[in-house]
Amino acid sequence: MSVTGLSATLPPAGLPGLDPSLSRLVDVDGTGMDAGRRRTWHVLDTGPALAERGITPAGTIVAVHGNPTWSYLWRALVGASVARAESDGAAWRVVAVDQLEMGFSERTEVRRTLAQRIADLAGLVDALGIRTPIVTIGHDWGGPVSLGWAVQHRERLAAVIALNTAVHHAEGAPLPFALRVATARGMLAAGTTGTTAFLDTTLALADLDPAVRAAFRAPYATAGRRRGIGGFVADIPATAADESTPALRSMAEGLRTLDVPALLLRGPKDPVFGEEHLDDLVARLPHADVHRFEGAGHLVAEERPYADAVLDWLAENVVAGAAPAGSAADDAPDGPAPAPLWEALSARRDDDDVAVIDMATRVDGAPLRVSWRQLATRVEEIAAGLDTLGVRAGDRVSLLVPPGPTLTAVLYACLRIGAIVVVADRGLGIRGLSRAVRGAVPDVVIGEVAGLAAARTLGWPGRRISAASLPAATGRALGVEASLAEVARAGRGRALPAPPPVDADAAVLFTSGSTGPAKGVVYTHRQLSSLRDALAAHFAVGPDTGLVTGFAPFALLGPALGTRSATPDMDVSAPRTLTAAAVAAAVRASDARIVFLSPAAVRNVVATAGALTAADRTALEGVRTFLSTGAPVGTPLLRRAQELMPNATAHTPYGMTECLLVADVTLPGIQDAAASDDRGVCVGTPIGQGGVRISALDSEGRATGAPTTQAGITGEVVISAPHLKRGYFRLFLTDREARRDLDAFEGRWHRTGDVGHLDADGRLWIEGRLPHVITTADGPVTPVGVEQDLEAVPGVVRAAAVGVGPVGRQVVVAVVEREPGVRRAAVASPGLTEVARAATAQTLAAVLVVPALPTDIRHNSKIDRSRLAAWAERMLAGERPTAP
């Protein structure tokens, strides 16, 4: 059915997901330019349905769509709210409006500005007799309309929620490209009203079912019914002279004093509203909970399960009155404030001994050596210089500089003035790195030429500072305003600002992206200092210990520990480039007693040991502690590494970006654990004040059990430590899940996503990742034990166990690399299949062979089992064999 008239009407029957019984037409007295008239609105309203069921709502959610959608956008929220009310959950009345000129509401002759639309909404709310408390939710230009009502009626307000919207447009900044096209001379009427071009372009921003796409188009069949689309675009307040600019500015400033709970949900792949718009909203509503649905775009309500997130948030923050995530209750201090991270550096500022050695940088043929005096001076100069340039506490500074003396100086300088450092390494790949940097919305980007060129090309936000001095033309082309040398000169002799509070945010460190899109992990100064203290105490690091750090996260801690550190000659973003000779050279140059390496680096160090000279081997004999962290290291590989450092105790600490040190085990401890019947990788006992619990798995592989220290329970690993991260950057829902059901325990706790168990001696065993648990008819199966069985088969280099089939009835499929290798993926030979099945007690439905298992870039060891599972399912379904 095509609607062609201009009067308000009910939607046609049969629109997917829309309950026609919730549609109603409401007559409202006009206001403002509409005064003296009656206008008819179409709304979706669950109020009558709740009343019929005898349910009294906790309040009303007023949902306002943008352009060119209509109330259909909110159907998931409408349906979920009724379902929860019927199941005795918190009941909310939802009133989802079709703004006048839009959807199935009345078309009029009035040109509706932002101020008029806010007044229109106020009239409707009054006409419906909506009582407090009221929650507003808006999307696109429904954001300013709903927030405009909220600012003007804050006495009736309980909370505000916004999806992909903006409330401020910087003076002189161009409109987003899509809107520039739509508003261009000669294009406005043709693209928005005369044709369906604007409507079609918007709907193409999400992968919509054809029936859903048709439902969104249903109210806009004729040019007359599309006038509101054009009117919305024409009213965009792009300049100070535009009619709606004063109303937008008034509303935007009013948000700064709005103290009700706020939730901001965003799809980052939005060509209309960018990260800078979200950043502006957060600056105005700093207490807001924020979640970015990675991979979603402008029509986030069509791409992600936002409705349950909204209702859960309301239940916790409005109905229950609970403190929102990131509140003081969540961030309670872990005890007395530790010394700041730069204390040891400041204490040795007059010391001419070596602090940092960069083996990859040569000066007159020798490795670059930086003294404590030089490093402390450089840090203070850069810190004061950044302050002079206007970099302030709380500003985010993205560091695109490889580990070495330059990165060390910049990092400590930023920390000293309270700037928040953003660190994402090249191992994420250009797309992952760009997603991380753009998502962090840096105020400043400091980088080498390659990083600055990427920032320029990919449109990353932030002022630009070059690590090296550049030719003037190059600097202009890259948008660079200063080099670090110029920054240091500007700061020379100037006083430093007051140091930041110990519980202020200090860093956003991005995860490797090996288990999903990279997440920004937020640390405070307290937590970074606690990490330093835990490392120093557990591994007995002193001024004369010396470190060789081939593992980037720890390469920056040497100055904080007050001991000299050396980075080997390698590409730190590609650990496999590290050789045994490079490690020996770094040890010899620094007289180091501790060596940190990533698992991928260990593998190549062992593989290149044949090139070691007698002098190299003598140097390695002086190492007393060897650590490999970041991913599990097999016992045979660990033994071979220790053979190169025969006087060292080999450790494999367990940790993650969210808590870099959780537990630790030595090679003798691993060998002792091997005599037990436990399956998985033994990672030892908690470090320092850390704690570990296990949340048991249910039959569907979910961690639903109460976290316990009981031995022999397999489930999700739950951890606590003074150096545990504060949270995730703008990932409220991820934070919420990481803390699920942990409030009863003292301190801050975190669900790791790893699965494992504790043994009778309190040792932690890791058995895989939670998303990789295989849910068979006989119960959940964790993959690592099966993989260990398979890797004991002669000729099998690496193995992965994955689940194929529906949840609860999955079968286990083995995917293996073998030696000699295979050229293409295939089903294993009958002989290999028979041997593999005999090697494990777990029933294997099939065995597949591949040239190489897919692993992450940073560690070259974390197998992407989710990708393998999907590939194996296609293979076993008879698709043409391809590489996984």
Side-chain angles (χ1 to χ4, degrees):
M1 167 184 171
S2 294
V3 178
T4 59
L6 303 183
S7 301
T9 184
L10 295 175
L15 300 184
L18 188 66
D19 182 350
S21 71
L22 301 179
S23 276
R24 59 186 294 204
L25 299 179
V26 183
D27 289 331
V28 181
D29 288 333
T31 60
M33 296 182 67
D34 246 357
R37 302 178 178 88
R38 294 276 284 177
R39 298 304 188 187
T40 306
W41 296 61
H42 167 253
V43 301
L44 301 177
D45 185 0
T46 66
L50 296 178
E52 288 175 7
R53 294 162 172 79
I55 299 172
T56 301
T60 300
I61 303 171
V62 177
V64 187
H65 68 86
N67 187 31
T69 56
W70 54 288
S71 57
Y72 186 70
L73 180 77
W74 305 110
R75 66 194 182 281
L77 180 61
V78 168
S81 66
V82 173
R84 289 208 181 192
E86 291 176 334
S87 63
D88 297 325
W92 285 90
R93 178 187 181 186
V94 178
V95 176
V97 309
D98 282 2
Q99 298 193 62
L100 291 172
E101 324 301 336
M102 303 293 289
F104 291 97
S105 287
E106 181 179 350
R107 268 56 172 174
T108 77
E109 71 286 355
V110 174
R111 179 177 178 273
R112 296 188 185 277
T113 61
L114 175 60
Q116 181 64 46
R117 290 194 175 279
I118 294 171
D120 290 341
L121 182 62
L124 174 67
V125 170
D126 291 343
L128 287 172
I130 298 175
R131 296 188 299 272
T132 55
I134 296 174
V135 174
T136 64
I137 182 170
H139 170 256
D140 188 80
W141 293 109
V145 174
S146 63
L147 292 170
W149 182 93
V151 167
Q152 294 177 13
H153 299 84
R154 58 185 72 203
E155 75 283 353
R156 306 171 65 183
L157 195 64
V160 293
I161 305 171
L163 282 64
N164 284 54
T165 191
V167 299
H168 172 72
H169 185 73
E171 192 72 33
L175 286 173
F177 177 76
L179 295 182
R180 292 204 302 274
V181 172
T183 56
R185 185 186 298 270
M187 290 293 295
L188 177 59
T192 60
T193 304
T195 70
T196 61
F198 187 84
L199 175 63
D200 294 341
T201 299
T202 302
L203 297 180
L205 296 177
D207 184 16
L208 301 178
D209 180 273
V212 170
R213 190 183 304 273
F216 274 115
R217 293 171 59 93
Y220 304 116
T222 67
R225 292 193 62 82
R226 291 192 293 271
R227 286 203 308 257
I229 297 177
F232 249 126
V233 174
D235 189 50
I236 293 173
T239 70
D242 289 320
E243 188 173 357
S244 284
T245 295
L248 184 69
R249 288 179 174 175
S250 176
M251 177 271 298
E253 287 307 304
L255 291 179
R256 297 188 187 278
T257 57
L258 203 62
D259 58 0
V260 298
L263 176 65
L264 305 176
L265 303 177
R266 171 168 165 75
K269 293 174 62 178
D270 188 340
V272 181
F273 302 116
E275 296 290 348
E276 67 276 10
H277 294 116
L278 175 62
D279 208 39
D280 174 74
L281 265 171
V282 172
R284 297 171 192 277
L285 295 167
H287 62 285
D289 293 318
V290 183
H291 188 82
R292 300 168 72 258
F293 289 98
E294 198 62 61
H298 181 71
L299 293 175
V300 63
E302 295 296 318
E303 298 181 87
R304 294 293 186 271
Y306 83 97
D308 285 333
V310 164
L311 295 173
D312 287 343
W313 181 82
L314 288 173
E316 295 170 2
N317 294 277
V318 178
V319 177
S327 69
D330 292 319
D331 299 330
D334 294 302
L341 208 64
W342 57 85
E343 181 188 57
L345 179 60
S346 298
R348 300 189 68 173
R349 67 178 322 280
D350 295 323
D351 191 336
D352 289 317
D353 284 348
V354 173
V356 175
I357 303 173
D358 183 1
M359 301 297 293
T361 302
R362 296 279 161 169
V363 178
D364 296 329
L368 173 64
R369 295 171 181 264
V370 179
S371 72
W372 291 101
R373 184 193 300 274
Q374 291 171 320
L375 182 58
T377 299
R378 194 66 166 176
V379 166
E380 291 173 1
E381 289 175 347
I382 293 175
L386 290 173
D387 180 65
T388 300
L389 263 63
V391 180
R392 296 291 179 258
D395 286 352
R396 291 184 294 277
V397 180
S398 180
L399 302 182
L400 303 177
V401 182
T406 299
L407 177 60
T408 301
V410 174
L411 176 83
Y412 284 87
C414 289
L415 293 176
R416 174 59 185 81
I417 64 172
I420 302 169
V421 296
V422 178
V423 181
D425 69 40
R426 287 182 293 167
L428 294 174
I430 190 62
R431 290 180 62 185
L433 181 60
S434 182
R435 185 166 54 234
V437 173
R438 287 181 63 86
V441 200
D443 299 285
V444 180
V445 176
I446 301 177
E448 304 283 0
V449 169
L452 295 173
R456 185 75 166 184
T457 302
L458 299 171
W460 297 346
R463 302 161 64 185
R464 310 281 196 265
I465 295 175
S466 62
S469 297
L470 302 176
T474 304
R476 285 193 300 270
L478 295 176
V480 171
E481 64 178 89
S483 68
L484 282 178
E486 291 168 331
V487 170
R489 281 198 297 272
R492 197 163 295 154
R494 292 181 177 269
L496 291 170
V502 68
D503 291 309
D505 288 347
V508 180
L509 310 179
F510 277 86
T511 61
S512 68
S514 60
T515 55
K519 300 182 288 291
V521 179
V522 181
Y523 279 90
T524 66
H525 288 270
R526 177 190 297 274
Q527 290 148 12
L528 288 181
S529 294
S530 296
L531 170 64
R532 171 206 60 203
D533 294 345
L535 183 67
H538 187 73
F539 295 106
V541 181
D544 296 320
T545 303
L547 310 175
V548 168
T549 52
F551 182 56
F554 289 111
L556 299 166
L557 282 175
L561 291 162
T563 195
R564 64 188 171 278
S565 59
T567 52
D569 186 0
M570 64 180 293
D571 179 351
V572 292
S573 67
R576 287 171 289 180
T577 61
L578 182 61
T579 65
V583 172
V587 168
R588 187 163 51 248
S590 60
D591 193 24
R593 296 294 178 264
I594 299 180
V595 172
F596 284 84
L597 300 178
S598 73
V602 173
R603 189 170 291 107
N604 199 58
V605 165
V606 168
T608 57
L612 291 172
T613 66
D616 290 337
R617 293 185 181 277
T618 299
L620 292 175
E621 287 175 0
V623 176
R624 293 294 179 265
T625 303
F626 160 61
L627 303 95
S628 183
T629 187
V633 180
T635 302
L637 180 60
L638 202 59
R639 286 198 191 100
R640 292 178 63 192
Q642 189 176 26
E643 289 173 2
L644 302 178
M645 295 169 272
N647 297 314
T649 300
H651 294 252
T652 59
Y654 162 68
M656 58 214 68
T657 309
E658 292 84 346
C659 188
L660 289 167
L661 289 174
V662 175
D664 181 41
V665 65
T666 63
L667 179 56
I670 293 172
Q671 293 167 332
D672 179 63
S676 72
D677 294 328
D678 294 87
R679 294 165 62 77
V681 176
C682 179
V683 296
T685 54
I687 289 174
Q689 301 176 51
V692 174
R693 291 176 177 266
I694 303 295
S695 175
L697 303 178
D698 63 16
S699 60
E700 295 186 355
R702 300 171 303 186
T704 57
T708 179
T709 56
Q710 183 179 343
I713 302 295
T714 294
E716 184 176 17
V717 178
V718 181
I719 63 172
S720 177
H723 51 278
L724 173 67
K725 51 85 176 168
R726 177 183 69 73
Y728 292 109
F729 185 73
R730 295 183 180 175
L731 290 172
F732 163 74
L733 298 178
T734 308
D735 266 331
R736 182 174 175 273
E737 174 59 24
R739 294 192 306 271
R740 175 176 53 85
D741 300 331
L742 302 177
D743 292 341
F745 301 102
E746 184 179 353
R748 295 176 303 108
W749 290 79
H750 168 73
R751 290 181 175 271
T752 65
D754 287 339
V755 290
H757 70 275
L758 294 167
D759 64 18
D761 295 319
R763 297 175 298 196
L764 175 62
W765 295 71
I766 299 300
E767 302 178 53
R769 291 284 297 169
L770 193 60
H772 304 155
V773 172
I774 305 164
T775 56
T776 72
D778 297 323
V781 174
T782 54
V784 169
V786 179
E787 293 164 358
Q788 289 173 324
D789 292 339
L790 296 171
E791 287 169 357
V793 172
V796 172
V797 177
R798 282 196 294 191
V802 298
V804 170
V807 173
R809 297 194 300 276
Q810 289 183 325
V811 295
V812 181
V813 174
V815 186
V816 303
E817 286 181 34
R818 56 171 300 173
E819 181 64 43
V822 297
R823 297 181 59 186
R824 59 179 61 88
V827 175
S829 66
L832 178 58
T833 299
E834 182 179 355
V835 173
R837 284 175 169 159
T840 179
Q842 179 61 50
T843 300
L844 301 179
V847 180
L848 307 176
V849 293
V850 294
L853 291 168
T855 60
D856 67 297
I857 298 174
R858 182 184 289 180
H859 303 293
N860 191 37
S861 59
K862 295 183 179 180
I863 297 170
D864 190 341
R865 297 189 187 94
S866 297
R867 174 177 163 187
L868 268 182
W871 170 83
E873 189 150 3
R874 295 194 302 270
M875 280 280 291
L876 296 176
E879 290 190 15
R880 182 179 177 182
T882 60

